[in-house]
Amino acid sequence: MRRLTPYLLILPGGLWLAVFLVVPMVFMASVSTQEGDVVNGFAQTFAFSNYTDALARYQTQFLRSAGYGLAGTVLAVLLAYPVAYWIAFRGGARKSTYLLLVLLPFFVSFVLRTVSWKFLLADDGMLLGPLKSAGLLAADFHVLQTTTAVIGGLVYNYLPFMILPIYVSLERVDPSVVEAARDLYASRAGAFTRVVLPLSLPGIFAGVLMTFVPMTSDYVNAAILGGPANTMIGNIIQTEYLVNNDYPVGAALSFTLMAVMLAGIFAYARVLGTENVLEAAAR
Amino acid sequence: MSDTQAGTGAAAAAPGLSPVPAIELDGVVKEYVARGEVVQAVRGVTLGIAAGEFFSLLGPSGCGKTTTMRMIAGFEEPSRGAVRLHGHDVTDVPPDKRDVNMVFQSYALFPHMDVRENVAFGLRRRKVAEAEIRRRVGEMLEIVDLTGREKRRPRELSGGQQQRVALARALVNKPRALLLDEPLGALDLKLRQAMQVELKRIQREVGVTFVYVTHDQNEALTMSERIAVMNDGLVEQLATPREVYERPATPFVAGFIGTSNLLTGTVERIDGSTAVLPLGAGGRVLVERGGRQAGDAVVVTVRPEKITISAGEPEGNLSAVRGTVSEVVYLGTSTSYAVGLAGGEEVTVFQQNAHDGITTAERGDSVWLSWQQQYSYAIGS
Ligand SMILES: Nc1ncnc2c1ncn2[C@@H]1O[C@H](COP(=O)(O)OP(=O)(O)O)[C@@H](O)[C@H]1O
Ligand SMILES: [Mg+2]
């Protein structure tokens, strides 16, 4: 009985994963190689051409999504690091208050927050309107329906996922280690690049994983803040499923996206996830 | 307290050593503002540490030892006063530009680097040539007995080994002075004693000035050439271990260093070079006269191991007081007695267990305590 206990403990969670993750995945994998339409039904024909067709048709959106995800992730690192650093080293007794502030947006629905950005950034909205009537901006200046708006929205929505892991890794850095670096003739900048930064790389690493994946597959920001030129692969998948009812193509696109991201993550983990990189960065 | 400080000639270097002190603190004060209140962690310390000296800052927790050391290292700027290293004023110089290195209480090793890179860190920052770095790091690891552990990470080492990496990492830079903040505090007793010997050996070998912070009086007494005993942000006495132990400058020093008995009395008469203080029923304490007159109040300290216990009144010209044994503790090589005097004072006595472990008195016994005049030391004389 005692030896069975660990297995019994993972049973509820394991069942949950099996029913709600593995089963739909297998089902969708099967759908992705079927042919037909909603009216006459779909039949399994092992049509792997669904994949090549989908990729050929939506190559632009694929590349755009990866580009937006990459740009958004880089921007998020640059914005999140100083915030996390400040909370970890200067936050003093109010650290948890600042962390709560970082998380505060999560108390409001993701879509609602993005829609409110649409109001804020509207061509004659509360931000651009006054600037335009004051003559500070050209009348046809706009933010919405641009790449800037979409990437800005992505960064805004996923920033906390970057701040938190970086904060956690910085919080674990013993301040006396930084003093030791200063004592051993490192300048302020040197102590940062050779001690603080390498010790926080695991946090950056985790933050990148936690933001790049959802940013790349996001469709809400492109749908609300972007225009036709900003369509991401998430929007295409949504359209194929819910508008065109072309389930096989939607499924094939989803699996392609998943495969590409998994490959990217593994490559990234292989290159950055080892201690040797930390060591090299610190020398 | 300030007159005691001046009286011990704190700023002067120890005799026989280099005339320009390696480290000088000149009226150093450090104030912190905590919750709107000004806290004086260090309240005016003036002292000089000679080159090559093993110098200890000794005092209870919170007396300002770490703060004093951090001002020497450059992590804290004094609110008032000056810090000089080899005659140069470094009060405003940042830590990376000071020729001293620190061994941190928690070691503060770089967790992402192996032993070799930890030790090489300072040399790399100073752009020392790679070949020389290899040579010096190798030499240093040999001195601290860590050869063969170059590729280990700090977390893969024992506490004692981490301690030695921290030491090597500082010493490899050949600093003018090494600052050690309770470096053995995290080690267990056996290892701590072994490391004390080890530290002394290393200090002799490299000849660097050691400034050693500790709250452990035994450690300070056995290792140091001179000790500054600190209390509440001030130096109460700066002297050799023997002097601090035998001739404590203040009641605080007498109480903090080892076990010591404090007896307060008034000089009744002067008998040649001896001042006699009556104490309790028929008891008397003899102390060197010095400048004392009849009627002066005196605080006398006497160490527990100098006192003899006897059942009857001792013969001869001795200090002798009466009391009742309230506690007997067998300690192996010695026995410790607590004896309550008639006036309410409690006196501790250590007796060697020379013969068959037979104790000379039992709880509740009425006894005489006696000691020679030379073991009575009037505090502040
Ligand atoms: N950064 C600080 N802010 C406020 N008070 C401090 C600070 N550092 C030390 N103190 C206070 O100064 C006093 C001396 O501290 P410290 O030098 O660490 O003593 P020690 O090392 O002898 O134990 C203590 O009362 C401590 O609380
Ligand atoms: Mg301390």
Side-chain angles (χ1 to χ4, degrees):
Chain A
M1 186 60 213
R2 182 168 299 168
R3 275 194 290 154
L4 279 179
T5 311
Y7 299 103
L8 289 175
L9 283 174
I10 63 162
L11 204 61
L15 272 178
W16 178 278
L17 276 179
V19 173
F20 293 104
L21 185 71
V22 179
V23 172
M25 289 266 284
V26 171
F27 177 70
M28 291 315 285
S30 156
V31 169
S32 73
T33 52
Q34 293 177 3
E35 278 176 310
D37 57 58
V38 240
V39 183
N40 303 310
F42 295 97
Q44 181 59 273
T45 58
F46 297 101
F48 288 99
S49 57
N50 282 348
Y51 280 83
T52 47
D53 289 353
L55 207 55
R57 224 179 329 151
Y58 298 116
Q59 195 185 14
T60 323
Q61 286 81 359
F62 257 115
L63 289 176
R64 185 181 293 140
S65 297
Y68 284 9
L70 213 61
T73 305
V74 170
L75 277 173
V77 172
L78 296 180
L79 288 174
Y81 203 97
V83 177
Y85 186 94
W86 191 88
I87 298 176
F89 289 116
R90 300 284 143 79
R94 297 217 185 80
K95 275 181 191 171
S96 15
T97 311
Y98 299 132
L99 287 176
L100 185 71
L101 287 179
V102 167
L103 290 175
L104 209 55
F106 287 143
F107 289 87
V108 176
S109 141
F110 180 54
V111 176
L112 262 179
R113 275 183 282 138
T114 312
V115 169
S116 67
W117 271 101
K118 185 174 179 152
F119 285 122
L120 276 173
L121 297 176
D123 295 359
D124 289 303
M126 55 177 81
L127 200 62
L128 300 191
L131 288 174
K132 282 181 184 175
S133 40
L136 290 170
L137 287 175
D140 61 346
F141 180 86
H142 63 283
V143 178
L144 289 182
Q145 316 232 334
T146 64
T147 305
T148 312
V150 178
I151 294 181
L154 288 171
V155 171
Y156 160 70
N157 275 307
Y158 294 106
L159 195 60
F161 293 113
M162 188 65 89
I163 294 177
L164 290 180
I166 295 179
Y167 165 80
V168 169
S169 64
L170 284 173
E171 168 70 29
R172 283 203 305 234
V173 174
D174 177 357
S176 70
V177 167
V178 185
E179 289 190 338
R182 297 278 284 136
D183 188 58
L184 295 162
Y185 321 119
S187 60
R188 275 174 192 283
F192 176 76
T193 55
R194 295 182 196 284
V195 176
V196 179
L197 190 59
L199 288 176
S200 63
L201 278 184
I204 298 178
F205 180 79
V208 166
L209 285 186
M210 285 168 70
T211 53
F212 177 74
V213 172
M215 278 187 186
T216 305
S217 48
D218 185 85
Y219 62 93
V220 173
N221 286 284
I224 298 175
L225 301 175
N230 307 116
T231 311
M232 293 175 72
I233 199 66
N235 304 91
I236 300 291
I237 295 174
Q238 192 200 18
T239 307
E240 289 295 349
Y241 270 106
L242 303 180
V243 181
N244 301 346
N245 289 328
D246 193 342
Y247 300 154
V249 169
L253 282 171
S254 298
F255 274 99
T256 310
L257 178 63
M258 202 169 90
V260 169
M261 283 197 298
L262 278 177
I265 288 167
F266 276 119
Y268 171 72
R270 277 300 283 265
V271 175
L272 270 181
T274 63
E275 290 192 345
N276 296 338
V277 174
L278 297 185
E279 187 118 313
R283 273 180 76 141
Chain B
M1 289 304 105
S2 59
D3 53 351
T4 16
Q5 220 180 312
T8 52
L17 294 163
S18 155
V20 177
I23 299 169
E24 272 176 289
L25 299 180
D26 192 352
V28 165
V29 173
K30 180 67 194 181
E31 291 171 345
Y32 290 110
V33 180
R35 290 188 208 85
E37 256 183 76
V38 178
V39 181
Q40 281 204 337
V42 174
R43 305 197 291 144
V45 168
T46 298
L47 54 81
I49 301 171
E53 191 176 13
F54 198 119
F55 188 95
S56 287
L57 289 172
L58 171 66
S61 180
C63 71
K65 306 182 297 291
T66 297
T67 307
T68 305
M69 172 157 284
R70 288 172 60 81
M71 287 191 284
I72 299 173
F75 293 122
E76 307 287 355
E77 211 177 305
S79 311
R80 285 190 288 285
V83 179
R84 283 187 288 274
L85 298 177
H86 286 269
H88 298 286
D89 191 322
V90 295
T91 314
D92 303 324
V93 175
D96 52 318
K97 303 280 194 300
R98 291 192 190 194
D99 217 358
V100 297
N101 286 118
M102 186 145 168
V103 174
F104 290 80
Q105 196 163 1
S106 57
Y107 312 146
L109 299 178
F110 304 122
H112 55 302
M113 296 181 202
D114 61 17
V115 168
R116 175 183 296 286
E117 281 312 309
N118 263 282
V119 177
F121 192 91
L123 298 175
R124 288 201 194 287
R125 300 291 79 72
R126 291 196 149 178
K127 309 263 186 291
V128 174
E130 187 62 36
E132 193 182 341
I133 292 181
R134 279 189 119 12
R135 186 179 61 73
R136 279 168 69 174
V137 170
E139 254 174 41
M140 206 62 223
L141 288 176
E142 200 160 317
I143 291 181
V144 299
D145 199 21
L146 280 173
T147 309
R149 300 248 168 28
E150 291 87 349
K151 289 277 155 225
R152 298 276 186 91
R153 290 298 175 90
R155 64 166 178 276
E156 296 163 342
L157 300 174
S158 70
Q161 290 170 333
Q162 291 181 24
Q163 162 68 63
R164 282 179 280 155
V165 176
L167 201 61
R169 184 179 69 173
L171 279 176
V172 77
N173 306 295
K174 302 203 171 113
R176 288 285 189 82
L178 188 69
L179 312 175
L180 304 101
D181 189 0
E182 312 222 9
L184 310 182
L187 305 179
D188 61 56
L189 182 65
K190 258 228 157 77
L191 197 50
R192 196 156 73 227
Q193 288 168 341
M195 281 303 296
Q196 288 174 8
V197 177
E198 188 75 4
L199 277 175
K200 275 300 274 187
R201 176 182 67 77
I202 291 170
Q203 197 243 348
R204 269 196 303 273
E205 217 160 296
V206 296
V208 171
T209 314
F210 270 42
V211 182
Y212 195 93
V213 162
T214 180
H215 66 263
D216 180 337
Q217 34 117 355
N218 282 323
E219 209 164 272
L221 288 176
T222 54
M223 298 175 79
S224 325
E225 281 157 63
R226 286 193 307 155
I227 300 175
V229 184
M230 288 186 72
N231 181 32
D232 197 18
L234 287 172
V235 174
E236 298 236 344
Q237 186 172 15
L238 195 162
T240 62
R242 177 173 294 277
E243 208 171 330
V244 164
Y245 187 80
E246 306 277 351
R247 307 175 68 79
T250 66
F252 172 82
V253 175
F256 189 74
I257 311 286
T259 313
S260 122
N261 300 301
L262 292 182
L263 301 170
T264 310
T266 309
V267 177
E268 186 191 54
R269 62 194 157 86
I270 305 294
D271 192 355
S273 64
T274 304
V276 182
L277 294 71
L279 203 80
R284 64 197 173 267
V285 174
L286 309 183
V287 65
E288 202 180 279
R289 181 191 171 178
R292 269 169 280 276
Q293 304 288 342
D296 286 356
V298 182
V299 179
V300 171
T301 160
V302 53
R303 294 290 176 184
E305 69 274 13
K306 312 289 192 198
I307 302 176
T308 308
I309 295 190
S310 59
E313 183 168 358
E315 302 281 314
N317 199 24
L318 297 171
S319 294
V321 294
R322 292 184 74 162
T324 309
V325 177
S326 59
E327 198 91 61
V328 180
V329 181
Y330 180 72
L331 296 172
T333 58
S334 66
T335 304
S336 160
Y337 300 87
V339 179
L341 302 190
E345 302 96 331
E346 178 145 301
V347 174
T348 306
V349 181
F350 295 150
Q351 300 278 274
Q352 288 291 320
N353 291 333
H355 327 283
D356 319 323
I358 301 166
T359 53
T360 44
E362 302 290 343
R363 237 180 82 133
D365 284 1
S366 189
V367 294
W368 280 90
L369 306 178
S370 57
W371 62 94
Q372 293 180 344
Q373 181 195 314
Q374 70 199 81
Y375 298 132
S376 296
Y377 177 69
I379 286 176
S381 59

